Amino acid sequence: EVQLVESGGGLVQPGGSLRLFCAASGFTFSNYWMSWLRRAPGKGLEWVATIKEDGSEEYYVDSVKGRFTISRDNARNSLHLQMNSLRAEDTAVYYCVRNGQNWGQGTLVMVSS
Amino acid sequence: DVVLTQSPLSLPVTLGQPASISCRSSQSLVHSDGNTHFNWFQQRPGQSPRRLFYKASNRDSGVPDRFSASGSGTDFTLQISRVEAEDVGVYYCMQATHWPHTFGQGTKLEI
């Protein structure tokens, strides 16, 4: 069974940093592109970033370019999102997603002073 | 960026009645690989999103056959033949043909 378990969310002040983790199991992690998506309170879903199977390509939504970095460790079956210079508008539940088909339960990031 | 426009944004329905959601894209979603990377998602209250359809009309495993999806190019439709109580939630279209991937605004289906 495919499982994606996110962690690392929490409350952070504007301008601060957080690093999200996603532990993957139940499939060959290194064979799949992986993504982070989010849903802000009262808003719709938003794609944030995607990384290729071997980590050689990364794509980001414009609003996070230069602030967020997606990475992966295929040896440890884990996906990461380093978030710097956080803003109030980054407040959201962040989901780790495989191929659009499998989603984790999400981790809440709140950016507030 | 590709803009996906869903309609309606709010969809009150009666149990047992049909429902339909439209999604229109600002540009063709046919990829250079020949596929149309267009998906429909459902997010029930308090749950993570769930993909219902991929490549415009391919049903995901476990999705009831009262759900159907169609469309090509720039116009796509999600239909529910007979709405059940468990269908309450927000439905999103999403394109993964062009970077950045984008979602429609979401359609809230309520009984």
Side-chain angles (χ1 to χ4, degrees):
Chain A
E1 178 194 2
V2 173
Q3 284 203 320
L4 300 167
V5 180
E6 303 94 337
S7 60
L11 175 63
V12 62
Q13 292 189 338
S17 298
L18 275 179
R19 186 173 174 84
L20 303 186
F21 296 86
C22 172
S25 60
F27 64 101
T28 304
F29 182 71
S30 59
N31 287 353
Y32 289 87
W33 292 62
M34 295 294 298
S35 301
W36 288 99
L37 284 79
R38 66 186 178 184
R39 184 176 184 188
K43 297 197 172 180
L45 292 171
E46 181 180 39
W47 168 81
V48 176
T50 294
I51 187 167
K52 195 176 178 181
E53 301 102 323
D54 61 1
S56 61
E57 295 178 30
E58 304 165 21
Y59 299 87
Y60 299 90
V61 67
D62 282 351
S63 60
V64 309
K65 279 181 185 174
R67 300 188 301 122
F68 289 14
T69 302
I70 188 171
S71 61
R72 63 192 297 158
D73 184 340
N74 285 346
R76 298 184 178 183
N77 294 339
S78 63
L79 180 72
H80 317 111
L81 186 67
Q82 178 66 43
M83 304 187 295
N84 298 330
S85 303
L86 282 161
R87 306 167 180 167
E89 54 265 35
D90 296 317
T91 294
V93 175
Y94 285 73
Y95 297 97
C96 170
V97 183
R98 182 194 83 151
N99 255 4
Q101 182 180 14
N102 302 101
W103 296 61
Q105 84 287 351
T107 187
L108 177 61
V109 171
M110 292 186 61
V111 184
S112 175
S113 53
Chain B
D1 296 359
V2 174
V3 177
L4 298 180
T5 303
Q6 283 185 236
S7 63
L9 299 185
S10 177
L11 185 54
V13 297
T14 302
L15 290 176
Q17 293 301 303
S20 180
I21 300 170
S22 169
C23 182
R24 179 162 293 177
S25 174
S26 60
Q27 57 185 277
S28 174
L29 298 182
V30 180
H31 193 273
S32 56
D33 65 7
N35 292 308
T36 298
H37 298 287
F38 180 85
N39 309 287
W40 286 102
F41 293 90
Q42 174 196 60
Q43 187 168 26
R44 292 169 170 155
Q47 296 187 14
S48 296
R50 166 198 187 192
R51 194 178 69 182
L52 301 176
F53 292 89
Y54 61 97
K55 293 182 184 177
S57 60
N58 293 275
R59 184 183 292 107
D60 270 284
S61 173
V63 175
D65 60 9
R66 64 178 182 277
F67 287 88
S68 63
S70 62
S72 62
T74 61
D75 287 287
F76 302 88
T77 302
L78 175 70
Q79 293 185 307
I80 309 174
S81 59
R82 296 174 306 280
V83 172
E84 297 189 6
E86 66 176 21
D87 299 336
V88 166
V90 183
Y91 292 79
Y92 297 92
C93 58
M94 179 242 190
Q95 67 82 22
T97 294
H98 304 285
W99 300 105
H101 296 175
T102 50
F103 283 87
Q105 315 96 303
T107 295
K108 186 172 185 179
L109 186 149
E110 47 199 359
I111 307 294

